[in-house]
Amino acid sequence: MTVKVQREDFDVGAEIAALTAGRSDIGGVATFLGLVRDIAGDEEISAMTLEHYPGMTEKMLADIEAQALVRWPLDETLIIHRYGRLEPGDRIVLVVTASAHRKAALESCEFLIDWLKTRAPFWKLEETGQGEHWVEARESDDEAATRWNKTPAKAAQ
Amino acid sequence: MTVKVQREDFDVGAEIAALTAGRSDIGGVATFLGLVRDIAGDEEISAMTLEHYPGMTEKMLADIEAQALVRWPLDETLIIHRYGRLEPGDRIVLVVTASAHRKAALESCEFLIDWLKTRAPFWKLEETGQGEHWVEARESDDEAATRWNKTPAKAAQ
Amino acid sequence: MKILYFAFLRQRTGLGEETVNAPDEIQDVAGLVEWLKTRGPGHAEALRDVSAIRVAVNQEFAGMDTAIAANDEIAFFPPVTGG
Amino acid sequence: MKILYFAFLRQRTGLGEETVNAPDEIQDVAGLVEWLKTRGPGHAEALRDVSAIRVAVNQEFAGMDTAIAANDEIAFFPPVTGG
């Protein structure tokens, strides 16, 4: 049940190992790792800067994590989100969910990353050959997150 | 596009790092890590031994991986499955899928682990306080895998 | 009260944060926005199109009609793009 | 032909693998099963309930009516439990 919003990079293997160390009740660990792509839309990007609202971001991330814990029987959850300037190939975000049951781990991981990719209070400044611009919120991503409001959690039934 | 069936343990962080090294076209990496639980059904287990059919197992794993590549736009896939004697908390299976798009990574990861957990040619001998017994195939798991025959891949549409 | 600006609002106001004493008659976010616009051309430009702006009062999403008080932390930012 | 046994079939036959020369009149898996059962009480017990057995011919899932030939690799095992 951990949330970290940080400038520093993270170590996926070490984070998963720490989460599962000494546990024999966890059957499945689902992970989503988000990386910076060199293409955004049709445009080549050389870097991006993630700005966030310190304090509010952590609160919102802790809140969505708490929602996942209500909907699915989870043993552990972890969200790490970076901010600052990132280049293509860099790690941005990590979601880890652990449960006795693989469906609960997989579904809650998807739920959290859908939310993070659309609702988390971050703003992206992309650097391209044509200069810098702020990314606008995307409709399609919003749909992915909205889906969870309509669909009851399968694994929790 | 790698399949490994091995007795040895594996390093999740190192595997993901190797898969994404030097890549800037991958937006998302979905991972499922399966661990041995100390409970199976209602029974406490002290260990289990996974037996498999060398040759056929690798062939079937490569085949399901190829099916995932047809259904989703994936940049990389990795399946590692262990065999031999494993104790609670030990890693059994790792699925990693990488794509430009997070839905493709998440869905294909779920597709592969559903298949592996139900159709992969492994047999489990569980050790309990009452001795050893072979685990029988489970209906509920079979349903999870069968679902994929009916549902067209959302992300591939 | 403490005012925070993020993304293009931070760039246009030239401020990440400022502490202001708004007049007593300003009771809600809408009133505050109108008053902040008078603080300079950067503020006026940043806050010109309220449909492009989201607001949080004390780190909770709020609306133009949300009531505000002297010690509140009020943040203005574009719709979030996610991580 | 090469016969492989896995899981409880390996335990009951006491063999992981054996090479056999089945009579020429044996043309399919069903015939092979009946013939293998005559090789001893362990074989008879292992292969008694064919509904509990799955078969692969040359590493492809097969049925009781699948044709077999002299150089085939034929494996008997319980329904797979997955990983």
Side-chain angles (χ1 to χ4, degrees), chain B residues 51-53 55-56 59-60 81 116-124 134-137, chain D residues 4-8 10-11 56 58-61 73 75 77-83:
Chain B
E51 186 169 328
H52 78 120
Y53 183 171
M56 185 167 172
K59 231 162 92 168
M60 290 182 74
H81 210 301
L116 284 165
K117 284 292 203 175
T118 53
R119 308 290 177 88
F122 288 93
W123 301 280
K124 271 181 205 150
W134 291 100
V135 178
E136 294 191 13
Chain D
L4 303 175
Y5 303 99
F6 293 102
F8 81 79
R10 180 179 49 73
Q11 290 186 317
N58 299 324
Q59 305 193 351
E60 299 281 347
F61 280 115
E73 174 178 303
F77 43 79
V80 300
T81 50

Side-chain angles (χ1 to χ4, degrees), chain B residues 20-43:
Chain B
T20 56
R23 301 287 295 256
S24 56
D25 53 341
I26 293 174
V29 181
T31 304
F32 185 89
L33 167 66
L35 304 172
V36 180
R37 289 177 63 201
D38 53 7
I39 298 280
D42 295 331
E43 224 170 12

